[in-house]
Amino acid sequence: MTRTIVASATKETIIGFDQPFCVIGERINPTGRKILNQELEDGDFSRVEADAIAQVAAGATILDINSGAVFSGKMAADPRYADNNFVEPILMQQLIEHVQAVTDCPLCIDSSVPGALENGLKTAKGRPLLNSVTGEEERLELVLPLVKKYDVPVVAISNDDTGISEDPEVRFAVAKKIVERAADFGIPAHDIVVDPLVMPIGAMATAGHQVFTLVRRLREELGVNTTCGASNISFGLPNRHGINNAFLPMAYAAGMTSAIMNPVALPIGPKKIAEKRALVEAAGIILPEMDDETFVKMFGMGSTKPRPGKEMEAIRAANFLLNQDDGGAAWINFNKDPDAAIAGARGRREGRRSRG
C-alpha cells in the first residue's frame, strides 16, 4: 500500500490510500494577500504564526509554506529585491523558523526558486514535502537531485515544457514521465505525490470528470498518491464553497489522498458587522445589548473567530463514510465546541514559546 511519510521533528503525517484525507493548509502564502505581503516586507511574522495556529486547529495536518513575496518598497532602495532568487531563500528560512516556533505540524516547502527550496530543506525539521517538480526538463534536473539529497517526498505537477494540456491523457503521460525520471534518481513512487491539475469547471464542463478519471489511473497504474489545488475547480463561480464541498469527497472517493486548501473559515470583521447592524436598525428591529460574536451567530454570518471551513466538514464526513474514522470519533469531536480546539491550539502555542 502506497504511503508517503511527511514529518516534523516530533509529528508524522501519512498520505495514503488507507489513511484519512490529508489537508495541506495553504494560507501561508503572500501571493494575492497584499496585507500579508506588506507585513513580511516589514519583518512582521505575527500573521504567519496566527495562520499556522488557526489552520492546525481547523484540521490541517501539513502546512504549505510559500515564499513568493514581492517586496516593491525595498526594490527602490536595493535592486536585488527585484530578483526572487535573492528574496525567496531568505524569506523561506524566516517563514519556516517562525512556523516551527509555534507548531510541530509537518511542512510543505513551496517555491519555484531552487535556492528557496534548498534553504527550506536545510531549515525544516523532520521530513518535509517539497512543492514542486514539473515535467519540464530544466525543473527535473534542478529539483530531483534535491529530493534525493535530502530524502524527502515531492509534489509532481502534470505540466511540462509544452505547458498545461487540457487533454487528460497528456497530463497522465507527464505524471508517468516524472515518476520514471524520479526512479532514475533512486526516488521511489511512494515519495511522489502527483498533482494532476484541476481545471475550473466554469471554463471546462468536463473538468470534474477528468480529474476523477485521472486520479483513478494514477492510483491504479502508477501507484502514487495525489493532491490538487482544491479551490481551482470552483474558480470564477458563485457559491464556491458549495462546489468545493461536493468536489472534495468525490475526488477522495475516486482515490485522491490529499489537497492543498484553506481549512479555515475566515472571521467576520468589524466592517461587515457594522453594515449588518445598520441594516437591522434600518428595518426597525430592536435587539438587546449583545457582543459581536452573539450578533453574528444570531444572523448566521459565521463567527468573529477563525473556525474550520465548510470544506473541512465535507472532508471529515467523507472520512467517516469511507471508513477512515473508526467509530466516528473524529466526526463527533469535530462537532463539539470549536472554541475548545482553537483555545487548546493557542495554549500549546504559548507553551512552545515559553520553553523556547
Side-chain angles (χ1 to χ4, degrees), residues 104-121:
D104 60 354
C105 185
L107 304 180
C108 176
I109 300 166
D110 187 354
S111 177
S112 60
V113 175
L117 293 178
E118 184 144 30
N119 254 21
L121 289 168

PDB file of all heavy atoms in Angstrom, residues 104-121:
ATOM      1  N   ASP A 104       4.228  22.060  15.760  1.00  0.00           N
ATOM      2  CA  ASP A 104       5.063  20.940  15.328  1.00  0.00           C
ATOM      3  C   ASP A 104       4.453  20.225  14.124  1.00  0.00           C
ATOM      4  O   ASP A 104       4.802  19.093  13.813  1.00  0.00           O
ATOM      5  CB  ASP A 104       5.293  19.953  16.477  1.00  0.00           C
ATOM      6  CG  ASP A 104       4.002  19.363  17.018  1.00  0.00           C
ATOM      7  OD1 ASP A 104       2.916  19.799  16.575  1.00  0.00           O
ATOM      8  OD2 ASP A 104       4.067  18.482  17.895  1.00  0.00           O
ATOM      9  N   CYS A 105       3.540  20.898  13.422  1.00  0.00           N
ATOM     10  CA  CYS A 105       2.910  20.316  12.237  1.00  0.00           C
ATOM     11  C   CYS A 105       3.955  20.138  11.130  1.00  0.00           C
ATOM     12  O   CYS A 105       4.774  21.030  10.890  1.00  0.00           O
ATOM     13  CB  CYS A 105       1.803  21.241  11.746  1.00  0.00           C
ATOM     14  SG  CYS A 105       0.840  20.584  10.375  1.00  0.00           S
ATOM     15  N   PRO A 106       3.969  19.001  10.434  1.00  0.00           N
ATOM     16  CA  PRO A 106       4.866  18.823   9.293  1.00  0.00           C
ATOM     17  C   PRO A 106       4.629  19.891   8.227  1.00  0.00           C
ATOM     18  O   PRO A 106       3.525  20.425   8.095  1.00  0.00           O
ATOM     19  CB  PRO A 106       4.517  17.430   8.783  1.00  0.00           C
ATOM     20  CG  PRO A 106       3.971  16.717   9.978  1.00  0.00           C
ATOM     21  CD  PRO A 106       3.210  17.766  10.734  1.00  0.00           C
ATOM     22  N   LEU A 107       5.673  20.164   7.436  1.00  0.00           N
ATOM     23  CA  LEU A 107       5.631  21.273   6.495  1.00  0.00           C
ATOM     24  C   LEU A 107       5.749  20.829   5.052  1.00  0.00           C
ATOM     25  O   LEU A 107       6.290  19.767   4.744  1.00  0.00           O
ATOM     26  CB  LEU A 107       6.763  22.260   6.800  1.00  0.00           C
ATOM     27  CG  LEU A 107       6.811  22.826   8.217  1.00  0.00           C
ATOM     28  CD1 LEU A 107       7.977  23.789   8.352  1.00  0.00           C
ATOM     29  CD2 LEU A 107       5.498  23.508   8.595  1.00  0.00           C
ATOM     30  N   CYS A 108       5.247  21.697   4.159  1.00  0.00           N
ATOM     31  CA  CYS A 108       5.400  21.548   2.716  1.00  0.00           C
ATOM     32  C   CYS A 108       6.113  22.805   2.224  1.00  0.00           C
ATOM     33  O   CYS A 108       5.601  23.915   2.390  1.00  0.00           O
ATOM     34  CB  CYS A 108       4.029  21.399   2.049  1.00  0.00           C
ATOM     35  SG  CYS A 108       4.067  21.330   0.252  1.00  0.00           S
ATOM     36  N   ILE A 109       7.291  22.650   1.652  1.00  0.00           N
ATOM     37  CA  ILE A 109       8.114  23.782   1.213  1.00  0.00           C
ATOM     38  C   ILE A 109       7.751  24.107  -0.231  1.00  0.00           C
ATOM     39  O   ILE A 109       7.948  23.297  -1.130  1.00  0.00           O
ATOM     40  CB  ILE A 109       9.600  23.430   1.340  1.00  0.00           C
ATOM     41  CG1 ILE A 109       9.944  23.105   2.796  1.00  0.00           C
ATOM     42  CG2 ILE A 109      10.474  24.559   0.820  1.00  0.00           C
ATOM     43  CD1 ILE A 109      11.296  22.439   2.967  1.00  0.00           C
ATOM     44  N   ASP A 110       7.236  25.310  -0.468  1.00  0.00           N
ATOM     45  CA  ASP A 110       6.596  25.646  -1.740  1.00  0.00           C
ATOM     46  C   ASP A 110       7.260  26.856  -2.382  1.00  0.00           C
ATOM     47  O   ASP A 110       7.138  27.979  -1.887  1.00  0.00           O
ATOM     48  CB  ASP A 110       5.110  25.929  -1.465  1.00  0.00           C
ATOM     49  CG  ASP A 110       4.308  26.121  -2.737  1.00  0.00           C
ATOM     50  OD1 ASP A 110       4.896  26.151  -3.831  1.00  0.00           O
ATOM     51  OD2 ASP A 110       3.071  26.228  -2.626  1.00  0.00           O
ATOM     52  N   SER A 111       7.971  26.622  -3.484  1.00  0.00           N
ATOM     53  CA  SER A 111       8.606  27.726  -4.210  1.00  0.00           C
ATOM     54  C   SER A 111       9.005  27.265  -5.597  1.00  0.00           C
ATOM     55  O   SER A 111       9.216  26.081  -5.842  1.00  0.00           O
ATOM     56  CB  SER A 111       9.849  28.224  -3.464  1.00  0.00           C
ATOM     57  OG  SER A 111      10.512  29.248  -4.204  1.00  0.00           O
ATOM     58  N   SER A 112       9.120  28.216  -6.509  1.00  0.00           N
ATOM     59  CA  SER A 112       9.651  27.928  -7.841  1.00  0.00           C
ATOM     60  C   SER A 112      11.145  28.228  -7.903  1.00  0.00           C
ATOM     61  O   SER A 112      11.782  28.014  -8.936  1.00  0.00           O
ATOM     62  CB  SER A 112       8.911  28.768  -8.893  1.00  0.00           C
ATOM     63  OG  SER A 112       9.080  30.149  -8.620  1.00  0.00           O
ATOM     64  N   VAL A 113      11.698  28.727  -6.799  1.00  0.00           N
ATOM     65  CA  VAL A 113      13.114  29.123  -6.743  1.00  0.00           C
ATOM     66  C   VAL A 113      13.932  28.008  -6.096  1.00  0.00           C
ATOM     67  O   VAL A 113      13.732  27.697  -4.918  1.00  0.00           O
ATOM     68  CB  VAL A 113      13.271  30.433  -5.940  1.00  0.00           C
ATOM     69  CG1 VAL A 113      14.743  30.800  -5.778  1.00  0.00           C
ATOM     70  CG2 VAL A 113      12.505  31.566  -6.613  1.00  0.00           C
ATOM     71  N   PRO A 114      14.853  27.405  -6.823  1.00  0.00           N
ATOM     72  CA  PRO A 114      15.637  26.302  -6.251  1.00  0.00           C
ATOM     73  C   PRO A 114      16.358  26.661  -4.956  1.00  0.00           C
ATOM     74  O   PRO A 114      16.413  25.855  -4.029  1.00  0.00           O
ATOM     75  CB  PRO A 114      16.639  25.975  -7.365  1.00  0.00           C
ATOM     76  CG  PRO A 114      15.952  26.393  -8.627  1.00  0.00           C
ATOM     77  CD  PRO A 114      15.164  27.610  -8.255  1.00  0.00           C
ATOM     78  N   GLY A 115      16.881  27.880  -4.863  1.00  0.00           N
ATOM     79  CA  GLY A 115      17.568  28.302  -3.643  1.00  0.00           C
ATOM     80  C   GLY A 115      16.638  28.347  -2.447  1.00  0.00           C
ATOM     81  O   GLY A 115      17.039  28.038  -1.319  1.00  0.00           O
ATOM     82  N   ALA A 116      15.382  28.723  -2.681  1.00  0.00           N
ATOM     83  CA  ALA A 116      14.397  28.747  -1.598  1.00  0.00           C
ATOM     84  C   ALA A 116      14.044  27.333  -1.174  1.00  0.00           C
ATOM     85  O   ALA A 116      13.870  27.054   0.023  1.00  0.00           O
ATOM     86  CB  ALA A 116      13.148  29.497  -2.037  1.00  0.00           C
ATOM     87  N   LEU A 117      13.941  26.426  -2.139  1.00  0.00           N
ATOM     88  CA  LEU A 117      13.658  25.027  -1.805  1.00  0.00           C
ATOM     89  C   LEU A 117      14.779  24.462  -0.932  1.00  0.00           C
ATOM     90  O   LEU A 117      14.513  23.813   0.085  1.00  0.00           O
ATOM     91  CB  LEU A 117      13.516  24.200  -3.081  1.00  0.00           C
ATOM     92  CG  LEU A 117      12.310  24.506  -3.984  1.00  0.00           C
ATOM     93  CD1 LEU A 117      12.353  23.634  -5.233  1.00  0.00           C
ATOM     94  CD2 LEU A 117      10.991  24.308  -3.244  1.00  0.00           C
ATOM     95  N   GLU A 118      16.019  24.708  -1.328  1.00  0.00           N
ATOM     96  CA  GLU A 118      17.130  24.140  -0.558  1.00  0.00           C
ATOM     97  C   GLU A 118      17.246  24.791   0.812  1.00  0.00           C
ATOM     98  O   GLU A 118      17.498  24.109   1.806  1.00  0.00           O
ATOM     99  CB  GLU A 118      18.453  24.249  -1.305  1.00  0.00           C
ATOM    100  CG  GLU A 118      19.599  23.582  -0.562  1.00  0.00           C
ATOM    101  CD  GLU A 118      20.610  22.914  -1.460  1.00  0.00           C
ATOM    102  OE1 GLU A 118      20.794  23.371  -2.594  1.00  0.00           O
ATOM    103  OE2 GLU A 118      21.253  21.940  -0.990  1.00  0.00           O
ATOM    104  N   ASN A 119      17.049  26.106   0.903  1.00  0.00           N
ATOM    105  CA  ASN A 119      17.070  26.753   2.218  1.00  0.00           C
ATOM    106  C   ASN A 119      15.967  26.203   3.107  1.00  0.00           C
ATOM    107  O   ASN A 119      16.148  26.029   4.315  1.00  0.00           O
ATOM    108  CB  ASN A 119      16.903  28.270   2.061  1.00  0.00           C
ATOM    109  CG  ASN A 119      18.206  29.006   2.301  1.00  0.00           C
ATOM    110  OD1 ASN A 119      19.286  28.432   2.197  1.00  0.00           O
ATOM    111  ND2 ASN A 119      18.118  30.285   2.609  1.00  0.00           N
ATOM    112  N   GLY A 120      14.812  25.942   2.503  1.00  0.00           N
ATOM    113  CA  GLY A 120      13.716  25.346   3.261  1.00  0.00           C
ATOM    114  C   GLY A 120      14.071  23.964   3.759  1.00  0.00           C
ATOM    115  O   GLY A 120      13.779  23.608   4.907  1.00  0.00           O
ATOM    116  N   LEU A 121      14.699  23.177   2.910  1.00  0.00           N
ATOM    117  CA  LEU A 121      15.102  21.817   3.308  1.00  0.00           C
ATOM    118  C   LEU A 121      16.144  21.853   4.422  1.00  0.00           C
ATOM    119  O   LEU A 121      16.157  20.988   5.298  1.00  0.00           O
ATOM    120  CB  LEU A 121      15.650  21.070   2.091  1.00  0.00           C
ATOM    121  CG  LEU A 121      14.608  20.680   1.038  1.00  0.00           C
ATOM    122  CD1 LEU A 121      15.285  20.227  -0.246  1.00  0.00           C
ATOM    123  CD2 LEU A 121      13.686  19.584   1.564  1.00  0.00           C
TER     124      LEU A 121
END
